[in-house]
């Protein structure tokens, strides 16, 4: 039986306690994709195949 999500709650935290000057260091968020492009493409194709078979 399919499940439908009608509401998504997104929360964010803003740190206003930083210094007035901008830092030259930029931090990147952790990546959810830990595989290579070929692995990601393979996974996407697998999901599409499963969806089509339903």
């Amino acid at each position: 039986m399919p499940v439908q999500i009608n509401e998504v709650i997104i929360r964010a935290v803003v740190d206003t306690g930083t210094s007035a000057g901008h830092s030259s260091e930029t931090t990147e968020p952790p990546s959810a994709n830990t595989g290579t492009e070929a692995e990601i493409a393979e996974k996407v194709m697998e999901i599409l195949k499963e969806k089509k078979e339903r």
Side-chain angles (χ1 to χ4, degrees):
M1 173 174 248
V3 176
Q4 182 177 358
I5 299 172
N6 293 326
E7 183 177 339
V8 177
I9 299 172
I10 300 173
R11 295 184 181 155
V13 177
V14 179
D15 185 14
T16 59
T18 60
S19 63
H22 294 287
S23 174
S24 62
E25 272 186 51
T26 59
T27 58
E28 295 182 16
S31 177
N33 302 342
T34 57
T36 64
E37 290 179 7
E39 291 173 345
I40 295 169
E42 183 179 338
K43 186 70 173 176
V44 168
M45 295 304 290
E46 191 175 305
I47 292 169
L48 290 174
K49 182 180 175 185
E50 289 175 6
K51 186 175 182 180
K52 187 176 182 180
E53 288 177 356
R54 292 184 195 173

